[in-house]
Amino acid sequence: MILDSKIPDGPIEDKWTNYKFDRKLVNPANRRKYDIIVVGTGLAGGAAAATLGEQGYNVKAFTFHDSPRRAHSIAAQGGINAAKNYKGDGDSVYRLFYDTVKGGDFRAREANVYRLAEESVRIIDQMTAQGVPFAREYGGLLDNRSFGGAQVSRTFYARGQTGQQLLLGVYSQLARQVGLGNVALYNRSELVDVVVVDGKAAGIVVRDLLTGQLTSHSAHAVVLATGGYSNAFFLSTNAMACNVTAAWRAHRKGAAFANPCYTQIHPTCIPQSDDFQSKLTLMSESLRNDGRIWCPKSPDETRPAAQIPEEDRDYYLERRYPSFGNLAPRDIASRAAKVVVDEGKGVGPLKNGVYLDFSDAIDRLGRHTIEERYGNLFEMYERITDESPYETPMRIYPAVHYTMGGLWVDYELMTTIPGLYAAGEANFSDHGANRLGASALMQGLADGYFVLPNTISNYLAPQLGTTPVPTDHPEFQAAEAAAQERFAGYLAIGGTRSPDSFHQELGKIMWDYCGMERTREGLEKALSEIPALHEEFRKDLRVTGSGQSTNQTLEKAGRIDDFFELAQVMCLDALTREESCGGHFRAEHQTEEGEAERDDEHFAEVAAWEWTGDPTKPIRNTEPLTFDNVHLAVRSYK
């Protein structure tokens, strides 16, 4: 497999400008002659479909939801980064680029990250023009707040509902294009296979989630914007329907899967309350602007938080990382919480959390100010826990949140399958081994609005005069038949266990051995247990109902089958990467102070895994990473 990143020549600040000038263009009058499929309608997919429709292409957009407004992008709370420097505190495109490369522990591709920082400035203007109600200062300018991993205020926000407001802005533009006839929207349709003809992406096969009917759709190019795979862990902050199927089906057809072990643990989640819980709830990272994180100094502490005096509290982030304090990056803050809980200093009924305390901020700023900033988040926390953060500190603990790994893409966002693109969290390209807070929304919108619409013409222009492969082509028929056989197979097993029971067991293996801390011994144990559990899944799965109507159990069976195969390459990737970096922490590779210890000599590279037909034996390909603008250094937030 050849990994050609297609990074343009020239200084990093000129690469994107030069690329846009040198690329092949499609005449506006010719764009109606091209068909493009977009799978996923969150921020990346919705923005891409709307923009490509606006440009004049014929777009088919697919979502497995009843409405694009249900995309998981809606769940983002805290904000979106942009290098506007409205606070005059020293921000710039270069500083955002530097913070993102450093935040990713020097495991991201420089050219892609710089382009993201460049486009961040335009995103805010675009979304404001679309009516997104960003918070404003007294004078009317857009307000900013701080987020982890940065010492400037560059995060634009709409209270604690930023993702929702941005998604509504994107949806309004998508709906406009649907109304104009430029975008055909297919809802309740789940991708079950990618079709490749003569080595190029030719289309997709989807399953109607209401009727079970399989249909094929062809196009000149296919875009996957289907999010991340955190639900491989069962318990995560992702919506329960989030899955890896679209990306994994593309992987099985030849798209390399890059850095699958790079999963982000978010430090600010409500701790698990029992073994029957089905998902975890995120509390926005923005809370760390005013909340102070601490735990009791003594493992034997039993007093309520308010009765524990200052001298008996350990503000461990402020102690260990004085420069960044409570705004240390997510991976560092998460591991620090694990350390104190493992020492027995956890709080709550299960002693599985730490405190996020707002008492100082309330005393300093007043309850009204805190309510204005975080009121809806406090309300959500109280509904779930029956505890008021105004009266007692929140209890938080790290949880699986975001995945930096994904389909390998080049500078144009094209996968290793020509004509197949991946945007947003579905690709691997911008965050390295750890994503800084408020950068997911930035990447999704940059990819959808500004990157993909500028790069896709390079592939389409030479195809002028061609028509998409007809859906009666043998490859489409074979893909439909294989999907039909697969779903019929799940129904025919007739075992005793539900898909959820297998998913929960798989998730526990993944969290225990491929979670916040990994060891060679644990990863090898996971790699022996997962195939055995997968074999049991094939023999003892029970799917009730039929395949000719709405059947969520059948949907889950297909998604969990793919999670089993993904989990194996995640563990294999973690085992092979003999270093610690960002969200990938190997206990064998840490400093005396417990910090991640990289191995730049052997692992300053992207690991891109190639499907061989056997999930236990993928092929590892590598793309070397070069750092010409940000020098490799020990990552320090002290």
Side-chain angles (χ1 to χ4, degrees), residues 323-336:
S323 293
F324 283 75
N326 296 296
L327 287 173
R330 291 175 175 179
D331 58 324
I332 288 174
S334 293
R335 283 199 301 277

Side-chain angles (χ1 to χ4, degrees), residues 198-211:
D198 297 330
K200 298 179 180 179
I204 62 174
V205 176
V206 298
R207 180 174 180 272
D208 188 310
L209 296 181
L210 299 180
T211 67

Side-chain angles (χ1 to χ4, degrees), residues 311-362:
E311 61 268 21
D312 292 336
R313 301 180 178 189
D314 181 10
Y315 294 92
Y316 57 87
L317 287 178
E318 297 172 31
R319 169 174 56 80
R320 292 181 60 174
Y321 309 103
S323 293
F324 283 75
N326 296 296
L327 287 173
R330 291 175 175 179
D331 58 324
I332 288 174
S334 293
R335 283 199 301 277
K338 183 181 188 301
V339 167
V340 296
V341 170
D342 287 352
E343 290 173 348
K345 300 174 184 175
V347 301
L350 301 180
K351 298 200 70 165
N352 63 343
V354 295
Y355 287 128
L356 179 59
D357 193 341
F358 293 87
S359 57
D360 283 1
I362 291 172

Side-chain angles (χ1 to χ4, degrees), residues 2-66:
I2 298 172
L3 300 176
D4 179 7
S5 60
K6 300 180 188 172
I7 298 172
D9 294 329
I12 196 165
E13 61 270 15
D14 298 332
K15 288 183 185 295
W16 183 224
T17 301
N18 292 342
Y19 173 88
K20 287 187 286 186
F21 182 77
D22 292 338
R23 70 189 171 105
K24 299 180 180 71
L25 298 176
V26 176
N27 184 308
N30 286 331
R31 292 175 192 163
R32 68 179 70 96
K33 301 173 184 176
Y34 291 94
D35 296 339
I36 302 173
I37 286 172
V38 179
V39 185
T41 54
L43 288 185
T51 306
L52 293 168
E54 180 76 29
Q55 288 181 341
Y57 296 104
N58 298 314
V59 180
K60 289 183 177 181
F62 294 82
T63 174
F64 65 20
H65 296 293
D66 57 351

Side-chain angles (χ1 to χ4, degrees), residues 3 107 366 528:
L3 300 176
R107 290 294 177 262
S528 68

Side-chain angles (χ1 to χ4, degrees), residues 6 21 99 106 236 249 257 308 349 365 382 388 416 441 511:
K6 300 180 188 172
F21 182 77
D99 286 347
F106 303 93
S236 82
R249 292 286 132 186
F257 209 101
I308 301 176
L365 302 170
E382 186 169 4
S388 170
T416 50
L441 305 181
W511 177 249

